[in-house]
Amino acid sequence: MLVSIKKLSELTGRHRQTIAKNLVDLLAVDGEKGAKLYDSQQALPLIYAVDNLEAARAEQARSQAALNKVREETLRKQRIPLDLVISVHDQVLQAMSATLKAAKDKVLTVDLINQIFADFRAIPAKLKW
């Protein structure tokens, strides 16, 4: 079926200039009032650039993979490795145990209580992240 650029524009929703650029190499037939008519079976694949659709999908997949990699790296930087947490937790418990054992049979003074809490406050510094 022979159709004009105007009709192709109405059918596809694309601008006439864009369609004209896509059809520049396609043979046209002269129509009424100097209109150029194109075979719709040849024109539509050029307008929709079917061969470029796969390239666009491949590029989108590559872009998504790169974005996922960045997100993974960001997430990795925000998480503390479990081995480090367990190690520091164990060290803190040992320090607390040593502090409490040293205080056995002693009166819990304000200084001793403050020392115990100071050990608890030192936990973030020991995480080294």
Side-chain angles (χ1 to χ4, degrees), residues 1 4-5 7 48 64 66 74 105 114 118 120 122:
M1 179 168 126
S4 66
I5 290 178
K7 187 65 173 175
Y48 286 110
Q64 187 64 37
T74 302
D105 297 328
N114 287 339
F120 278 124

Side-chain angles (χ1 to χ4, degrees), residues 22-122:
N22 291 337
L23 302 181
V24 75
D25 294 330
L26 188 61
L27 183 63
V29 177
D30 291 333
E32 291 182 20
K33 299 181 183 177
K36 294 182 180 180
L37 302 177
Y38 297 92
D39 181 8
S40 62
Q41 290 182 344
Q42 294 176 354
L44 289 173
L46 293 174
I47 293 170
Y48 286 110
V50 175
D51 60 319
N52 290 337
L53 182 60
E54 289 303 317
R57 286 183 179 158
E59 178 60 31
Q60 193 271 339
R62 284 190 294 274
S63 175
Q64 187 64 37
L67 180 62
N68 288 343
K69 185 176 180 180
V70 169
R71 286 179 179 162
E72 182 181 321
E73 288 174 2
T74 302
L75 185 61
R76 197 175 305 130
K77 290 177 185 176
Q78 293 174 348
R79 290 188 176 176
I80 303 169
L82 186 58
D83 294 341
L84 180 61
V85 172
I86 291 171
S87 173
V88 170
H89 179 68
D90 188 48
Q91 291 173 9
V92 169
L93 288 178
Q94 288 177 10
M96 292 293 103
S97 176
T99 303
L100 292 174
K101 285 180 182 178
K104 183 179 178 185
D105 297 328
K106 294 183 180 177
V107 177
L108 274 177
T109 64
V110 172
D111 290 338
L112 184 58
I113 293 170
N114 287 339
Q115 177 60 43
I116 292 170
F117 282 113
D119 290 342
F120 278 124
R121 285 187 210 100

